[in-house]
Amino acid sequence: MEIKYQRADEITDYLLHHERATLDKKEPFVIDGKRHELKVYRLPLNLLIYNIKNGRFAAELHELEASEGRRIDPEKEKDKVKIEDLLLREKIKSDWLKDSITSVGQLQPATITHDGFIVNGNRRAAVLNRLFKETGDQRFGFLEVARLPEDVSAPDIWRFEAGFQLAVELKVDYRPINELLKIREGLDYGLTYQEIALILGGENTVETVRHKLN
């Protein structure tokens, strides 16, 4: 994913001028096979961008773009609303998350690229944004995030997304087509069938991964 330096600079500038945005928390992330402890920040939602083209809502996004006959741009306000509608379409899960955030706040930090694309936590961001619009309560206008380094590789981001979102115990959130799109993306990034099978865990093997793609 190409870094958009203007937004990256805006986030860095915000952090420089808001010391309280740096929280006393850290989140682990594996980069080049080594564990790193990333700082967690509290950032305004308007500095962040939804990123669902490679995640558990990828197929739904493809369907939306096909019906619209154009690419959905998460940086445009009208498309941002459309993406939020996709993220919040599962009413039971969305209502549960909304009640939880209203009662006790955000419990788990999201993860963003250096320039503000949300790698993990898009639904949380959507819930917070809707709550902010509905209530005007400033506490809902921010997302707690671990910010990835500028030089983190696309394969490392894939490993994180796949390990977190496609792991066997969480795979219920994925439609089959989204799982296949994610596996294909891993291959495009140069991961081997064996590495993908290990990340997915459970009963996944080189043979089952090949079979799914076939």
Side-chain angles (χ1 to χ4, degrees), residues 49 70-71 73-81:
I49 303 295
R70 63 183 180 88
R71 187 178 72 85
D73 185 351
E75 297 186 66
K76 293 181 178 179
E77 186 60 31
K78 65 176 183 178
D79 285 351
K80 177 180 174 181
V81 173

Side-chain angles (χ1 to χ4, degrees), residues 2 6-7 46 58 60 70-71 74 78 106 109 144 146 150 153 167 173 180 182 192 204 208:
E2 181 182 354
Q6 181 176 350
R7 191 182 311 106
N46 60 16
E60 289 86 343
R70 63 183 180 88
R71 187 178 72 85
K78 65 176 183 178
Q106 181 185 344
E144 293 185 10
E150 183 177 359
S153 70
D173 285 339
L180 299 179
K182 195 67 186 173
T192 66
N204 284 288
T208 60

Side-chain angles (χ1 to χ4, degrees), residues 114-154:
H114 194 71
D115 55 346
F117 282 89
I118 302 172
V119 176
N120 175 54
N122 284 279
R123 183 183 278 148
R124 273 166 282 171
V127 166
L128 281 165
N129 201 43
R130 288 292 171 90
L131 282 169
F132 179 65
K133 290 178 180 178
E134 291 170 4
T135 67
D137 192 328
Q138 290 296 319
R139 68 190 173 109
F140 298 132
F142 297 82
L143 184 69
E144 293 185 10
V145 301
R147 187 187 188 193
L148 296 174
E150 183 177 359
D151 59 352
V152 68
S153 70

Side-chain angles (χ1 to χ4, degrees), residues 2-194:
E2 181 182 354
I3 296 292
K4 295 194 175 182
Y5 289 99
Q6 181 176 350
R7 191 182 311 106
D9 290 343
E10 290 174 357
I11 293 173
T12 298
D13 186 67
Y14 179 87
L15 294 174
L16 286 174
H17 290 88
H18 297 81
E19 293 183 4
R20 296 176 68 179
T22 302
L23 306 179
D24 188 23
K25 300 179 183 179
K26 290 189 176 181
E27 279 288 298
F29 195 92
V30 177
I31 301 174
D32 289 334
K34 297 179 181 178
R35 178 186 174 113
H36 293 257
E37 299 291 330
L38 303 181
K39 291 181 179 179
V40 176
Y41 306 100
R42 186 171 180 264
L43 292 178
L45 287 168
N46 60 16
L47 288 178
L48 307 177
I49 303 295
Y50 293 120
N51 178 37
I52 66 171
K53 66 178 183 178
N54 299 323
R56 66 182 61 150
F57 295 94
E60 289 86 343
L61 180 62
H62 287 315
E63 291 170 2
L64 176 60
E65 290 181 332
S67 67
E68 296 269 335
R70 63 183 180 88
R71 187 178 72 85
I72 298 297
D73 185 351
E75 297 186 66
K76 293 181 178 179
E77 186 60 31
K78 65 176 183 178
D79 285 351
K80 177 180 174 181
V81 173
K82 292 178 184 292
I83 292 173
E84 285 180 357
D85 289 340
L86 284 181
L87 290 166
L88 302 178
R89 191 159 63 180
E90 296 181 52
K91 183 172 173 54
I92 294 177
K93 292 181 180 179
S94 297
D95 286 349
W96 178 88
L97 185 56
K98 187 175 182 179
D99 290 343
S100 175
I101 288 177
T102 301
S103 300
V104 298
Q106 181 185 344
L107 297 178
Q108 183 69 27
T111 305
I112 63 170
T113 61
H114 194 71
D115 55 346
F117 282 89
I118 302 172
V119 176
N120 175 54
N122 284 279
R123 183 183 278 148
R124 273 166 282 171
V127 166
L128 281 165
N129 201 43
R130 288 292 171 90
L131 282 169
F132 179 65
K133 290 178 180 178
E134 291 170 4
T135 67
D137 192 328
Q138 290 296 319
R139 68 190 173 109
F140 298 132
F142 297 82
L143 184 69
E144 293 185 10
V145 301
R147 187 187 188 193
L148 296 174
E150 183 177 359
D151 59 352
V152 68
S153 70
D156 276 334
I157 293 177
W158 186 93
R159 291 182 183 96
F160 170 77
E161 289 180 322
F164 187 87
Q165 297 176 349
L166 271 179
V168 172
E169 65 269 24
L170 296 176
K171 206 165 66 175
V172 66
D173 285 339
Y174 256 78
R175 285 175 55 186
I177 187 64
N178 288 333
E179 178 186 5
L180 299 179
L181 287 169
K182 195 67 186 173
I183 292 173
R184 187 176 67 184
E185 183 192 25
L187 292 174
D188 290 342
Y189 283 143
L191 281 78
T192 66
Y193 284 98
Q194 183 175 18

